[in-house]
Amino acid sequence: MFVPSPTRSTIPTRLTRPTPPSRPARPSLPARPTHPTLLALGGYAATRLIGLAVLAIAAAATGEDGLHRLKGRWDSVWYVRIAEHGYGYEITVPNGDVHSDLAFFPLLPALERGLSTVLPMDAATAGLLVSWTAGLVAAWGIHRCGAQVFGTRAGVVLAVLWGVYPTAFVQSMAYTETLFTALAAWSLYAVLRGRWILAGALCVAAGLTRPTAAALIAALGITALAMLVRDRRLPLRTVVGVLIAPLGWLGYIVHVGVREGSPTAYFDVQAAWGNSIDGGVALAQFIVGLPWPAALGLCAALALLGLLVALCIRQRQPLPLLAYTIGVVFVSLVGAAYFGSRPRLMMPAFGLLLPPAVALARARTRTAVPVLAGLALASGAYGAFTLLGSGPP
């Protein structure tokens, strides 16, 4: 009888002990909840870095200060002034209209003031910090919404697509778009998960950020109404969430009314800026006044927008997301705002990107990645052209 044989049989056992069965499965445990999120945030961050790189190259070639264009132009200047001096500033433009800083909602300048107080930075730099951080939080929330509805891969692509939106360069500016979109995306995700009080609280904060929060408030209300019709009852948490949702938006409107002594003061301020609601008349007049090739191109763009909305409906997107998307598009089109700002105003409507996101998610990675990279370069080039130009986004 050969004795060492049992000893040999124990060798494989001893060698395999440091590698328990759980170790090969280890990546699958954290990968499912965390890896897609990291992929979405990494992809989004890559799009913004590409945009910043294109801007830096273009700024160096033209002798401009790219960083100044990000934190010290157009609306950014108004937010910084509010952060540093509070409300009460106004200017009279050449046509006699009075532009008041009361047109700007208070959350971003409040954050700029708070950060510049506790950190060694000025309010303008604090605005960039808020915007860039909020952009990542927004991409995370957008990813979660997309993953909740159409799967993890679609959620990742959706977050990256939001980063290559034509006016995505605004996401790198000290503007409110990223902050508002972050709050809106997580509010909608909370609704999709049935966490209505959290959704309402986030909606309050969104209502202190941009007037577009009216679309988010409406989406929550419409969803609750549909639940009431379907179930003939509403849980208390849903009622509470819907009731608190408009408090931020409404609170600022009331504040301006009390300050100015008129219940319509905020809307009067907006009208002085040329942002009154006209049902789309200004948009129609703008199109008619264009040369016919430009008018045809703009009509084609509006037709594409209509197609995206139709595809969102055809996808049977969840009611809160669909109502929010249509609401943001509607608010962006029926106002008399400067036309160049309308694509930016629609940027928080990330639901518009779900149809192409689902299509790209079905494609192979070797196809989707070059497409997204090309879109990032195109978006960056358009952003550099706009930022280094003369008109506001």
Side-chain angles (χ1 to χ4, degrees), residues 223-234:
T223 303
L225 180 61
M227 291 174 58
L228 179 62
V229 171
R230 183 192 63 194
D231 302 333
R232 298 183 181 275
R233 58 180 294 276
L234 282 178

Side-chain angles (χ1 to χ4, degrees), residues 170-251:
V170 177
Q171 298 171 17
S172 297
M173 298 179 68
Y175 267 48
T176 58
E177 269 69 20
T178 56
L179 180 59
F180 173 77
T181 306
L183 294 166
W186 283 104
S187 178
L188 291 169
Y189 181 70
V191 171
L192 294 176
R193 302 284 292 183
R195 302 181 65 180
W196 278 88
I197 296 178
L198 176 60
L202 291 169
C203 191
V204 171
L208 292 170
T209 307
R210 290 188 60 80
T212 320
L216 181 61
I217 296 167
L220 267 62
I222 290 171
T223 303
L225 180 61
M227 291 174 58
L228 179 62
V229 171
R230 183 192 63 194
D231 302 333
R232 298 183 181 275
R233 58 180 294 276
L234 282 178
L236 179 60
R237 63 179 181 275
T238 303
V239 176
V240 172
V242 171
L243 289 179
I244 66 174
L247 294 183
W249 182 87
L250 187 61

Side-chain angles (χ1 to χ4, degrees), residues 41 44 48 108 111 115 119 121 125-141 162 171-175 177-183 186:
L41 295 183
Y44 170 77
R48 303 314 323 126
L108 176 59
L111 293 174
L115 286 175
L119 297 176
M121 63 177 62
T125 304
L128 280 184
L129 179 60
V130 171
S131 181
W132 293 1
T133 304
L136 289 171
V137 177
W140 186 11
W162 190 68
Q171 298 171 17
S172 297
M173 298 179 68
Y175 267 48
E177 269 69 20
T178 56
L179 180 59
F180 173 77
T181 306
L183 294 166
W186 283 104

Side-chain angles (χ1 to χ4, degrees), residues 75 80 168 282 347 377:
D75 291 0
V80 169
M347 188 166 59
L377 286 171

Side-chain angles (χ1 to χ4, degrees), residues 307-387:
L307 175 62
L308 285 174
V309 172
L311 289 175
C312 290
I313 297 172
R314 186 175 180 180
Q315 273 189 323
R316 296 185 179 180
Q317 293 182 10
L319 181 58
L321 180 57
L322 184 62
Y324 166 75
T325 298
I326 294 175
V328 172
V329 172
F330 177 79
V331 170
S332 302
L333 293 180
V334 300
Y338 169 65
F339 178 79
S341 297
R342 294 176 192 265
R344 170 177 66 86
L345 298 177
M346 280 187 276
M347 188 166 59
F350 59 88
L352 288 173
L353 302 175
L354 264 172
V358 171
L360 270 177
R362 292 170 179 166
R364 294 184 177 182
T365 302
R366 65 186 181 186
T367 300
V369 171
V371 169
L372 292 171
L375 290 174
L377 286 171
S379 175
Y382 175 72
F385 172 78
T386 304
L387 280 168

Side-chain angles (χ1 to χ4, degrees), residues 94 173 214 262 281 302 305 326 340 346:
M173 298 179 68
S262 169
V281 173
L302 292 173
L305 175 63
I326 294 175
M346 280 187 276

